[in-house]
Amino acid sequence: MRLAGKVAVVTGAGQGIGRGIALVYAREGAAVVVAERREHRARRTADEIRAAGGTALAVTTDVADRASVLAMVERTVADFGRLDVLVNNAQGMHEHRPLEDLTDEQFDVFLVSGLKGTFWAMQAAFPHMKAAGGGRIINMVSLNALVGAPGLADYNATKGAIQALSRTAAREWGRHGILVNCIAPGATSKRGQEFLERNPDAARRIAEERPLGRLADPEADLAPVAVFLASDDGHFVTGQTYFVDGGAHLT
Ligand SMILES: NC(=O)c1ccc[n+]([C@@H]2O[C@H](COP(=O)([O-])OP(=O)(O)OC[C@H]3O[C@@H](n4cnc5c(N)ncnc54)[C@H](O)[C@@H]3O)[C@@H](O)[C@H]2O)c1
């Protein structure tokens, strides 16, 4: 129960990494706000948490819409009285495109949901965390930004900017006890696992090239680091990016 008594908001918690973090946060004793654009996904994760004996509130939220992000934070504080941990995980996506073919509209799908959504949520959380004497913010970034993965200019630019925003916030808000860190998760997805089951060659390559030889599991591999960063144990860590990827960043 390392997060007992804490209130956490996890955006994009309807599936994947956000869902994994939400479930594990609740198991560690946090009351979790499942903030997710798709209502049925938000409800599904919140129901899972409650069925396991945890506390959860589903709040349909579009992080690409400033008013919706502000409402998410207001609802959290109205229902639970505080906001201790904010995990900015939601990220709008579209298919890969070469840089020269990207349109403004496509670029904005990433930039507005990822960078602006994170910025709005951080700003909205700030007065509550400051008044409480501190808080934790965890922003999801990606190894792709560091290595300039081709076909992902919009995604990479967004994630690189989120990392820079996080470092700045760590410096500006440290004196208020607000710690801001990033997680760059290793590749994980249900689709990824299914793909590897159908493609033994790709599975073999991952096993040979990556130090820990497999994709990540959100609950077992990624969420524990998000728990650490939100818990008392993480009290002297800020401005960091954790590559929780089984060593993939070395390859
Ligand atoms: N999966 C990976 O391999 C991987 C690798 C590196 C980084 N990441 C990052 O981790 C985070 C989570 O990735 P994932 O694979 O779990 O994603 P996912 O697509 O499986 O799930 C994302 C969830 O966010 C929701 N969402 C999308 N746009 C939203 C919006 N505008 N407002 C609110 N909710 C919205 C979706 O409905 C979905 O439920 C993202 O920031 C992603 O960039 C993922």
Side-chain angles (χ1 to χ4, degrees):
M1 299 295 276
R2 279 170 295 173
L3 303 181
K6 296 195 190 296
V7 175
V9 171
V10 184
T11 69
Q15 69 173 33
I17 295 169
R19 170 182 166 273
I21 292 173
L23 295 179
V24 176
Y25 271 13
R27 251 179 254 150
E28 292 286 349
V32 179
V33 173
V34 179
E36 159 69 50
R37 186 176 50 177
R38 307 218 180 184
E39 192 184 346
H40 70 281
R41 290 185 186 170
R43 234 183 303 116
R44 190 176 57 195
T45 301
D47 286 347
E48 265 186 278
I49 289 173
R50 283 191 219 102
T55 303
L57 174 70
V59 178
T60 308
T61 306
D62 180 0
V63 298
D65 173 2
R66 185 171 183 272
S68 180
V69 173
L70 301 191
M72 166 189 86
V73 170
E74 288 314 310
R75 179 75 198 279
T76 302
V77 176
D79 273 50
F80 293 115
R82 52 193 297 125
L83 169 52
D84 302 293
V85 184
L86 168 67
V87 182
N88 289 303
N89 166 80
Q91 174 65 63
M93 306 261 182
H94 62 73
E95 70 277 17
H96 299 186
R97 294 263 163 77
L99 175 54
E100 63 273 23
D101 294 338
L102 271 181
T103 65
D104 277 17
E105 289 71 24
Q106 289 160 351
F107 205 99
D108 283 350
V109 168
F110 285 90
L111 204 63
V112 177
S113 66
L115 179 60
K116 285 290 198 70
T118 298
F119 163 62
W120 290 325
M122 288 169 67
Q123 270 197 338
F126 174 75
H128 303 290
M129 291 183 172
K130 183 183 169 196
R136 305 292 170 87
I137 297 174
I138 299 164
N139 296 331
M140 289 297 156
V141 297
S142 176
L143 175 61
N144 286 322
L146 193 75
V147 301
L152 295 172
D154 38 15
Y155 181 72
N156 297 343
T158 298
K159 293 303 194 186
I162 292 173
Q163 211 178 359
L165 174 70
S166 306
R167 290 192 183 122
T168 309
R171 293 188 70 165
E172 292 193 9
W173 294 352
R175 66 180 176 278
H176 302 300
I178 301 171
L179 312 184
V180 187
N181 292 288
C182 296
I183 292 178
T188 174
S189 78
K190 202 152 173 280
R191 258 179 300 153
Q193 296 290 5
E194 288 164 2
F195 171 80
L196 292 179
E197 280 160 24
R198 289 194 309 272
N199 295 274
D201 282 352
R204 202 172 315 115
R205 257 201 321 279
I206 285 181
E208 283 168 7
E209 287 173 8
R210 299 194 176 183
L212 298 193
R214 60 176 175 80
L215 297 182
D217 176 79
E219 280 178 70
D221 300 324
L222 305 176
V225 178
V227 170
F228 163 70
L229 290 172
S231 74
D232 291 345
D233 287 341
H235 70 274
F236 206 55
V237 178
T238 195
Q240 275 285 4
T241 297
Y242 282 76
F243 290 88
V244 191
D245 61 4
H249 65 283
L250 300 170
T251 63

